[in-house]
């Protein structure tokens, strides 16, 4: 049986690699892509208050991509939804 600490460490390494890849994809998003992400979140997002807060923050930001990149540092439902949407629009 595998040591749970080793399994967690391996999972953390994989997650970190995936987040780095996702950061590059987010940094390459255009304004139209970001608008599409926000629009899809408004229609399908689980937590409407979080989506509205994100939308307002993006509207105020000079670097809209950085707002979305920051979501990767605070994993949660909204983060997972954004990852899923970006994966779909970047195919």
């Amino acid at each position: 049986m595998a040591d749970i600490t080793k399994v967690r460490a391996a999972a953390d390494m994989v997650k970190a690699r995936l987040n780095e890849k996702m950061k590059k994809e987010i940094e390459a998003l255009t304004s139209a892509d970001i608008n599409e992400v926000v629009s899809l979140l408004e229609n399908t997002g689980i937590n409407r208050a979080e989506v509205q807060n994100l939308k307002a923050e993006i509207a105020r930001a000079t670097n809209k991509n950085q707002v979305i990149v920051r979501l990767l540092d605070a994993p949660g439902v909204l983060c997972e939804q954004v990852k899923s949407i970006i994966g779909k629009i970047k195919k």
Side-chain angles (χ1 to χ4, degrees):
M1 184 178 230
D3 183 330
I4 191 70
T5 313
K6 291 179 183 177
V7 172
R8 283 187 183 143
D12 288 343
M13 286 182 1
V14 169
K15 182 179 176 183
R17 273 190 251 131
L18 290 173
N19 280 350
E20 283 304 312
K21 181 182 176 201
M22 182 61 68
K23 282 181 184 179
K24 291 176 184 173
E25 289 178 17
I26 292 170
E27 290 168 352
L29 292 176
T30 65
S31 291
D33 292 335
I34 292 171
N35 290 337
E36 185 176 356
V37 168
V38 171
S39 177
L40 288 168
L41 279 173
E42 285 181 309
N43 293 327
T44 62
I46 292 174
N47 186 333
R48 294 208 181 270
E50 278 187 335
V51 172
Q52 291 306 313
N53 289 340
L54 178 64
K55 182 180 177 181
E57 187 176 355
I58 288 172
R60 289 188 309 267
T62 55
N63 187 339
K64 297 170 184 341
N65 301 61
Q66 277 305 113
V67 173
I68 297 174
V69 166
R70 258 197 338 261
L71 285 176
L72 296 178
D73 295 331
V77 175
L78 186 61
C79 174
E80 294 307 315
Q81 288 176 321
V82 167
K83 285 180 178 180
S84 174
I85 290 169
I86 292 170
K88 290 175 186 172
I89 66 172
K90 283 303 194 181
K91 281 187 177 180

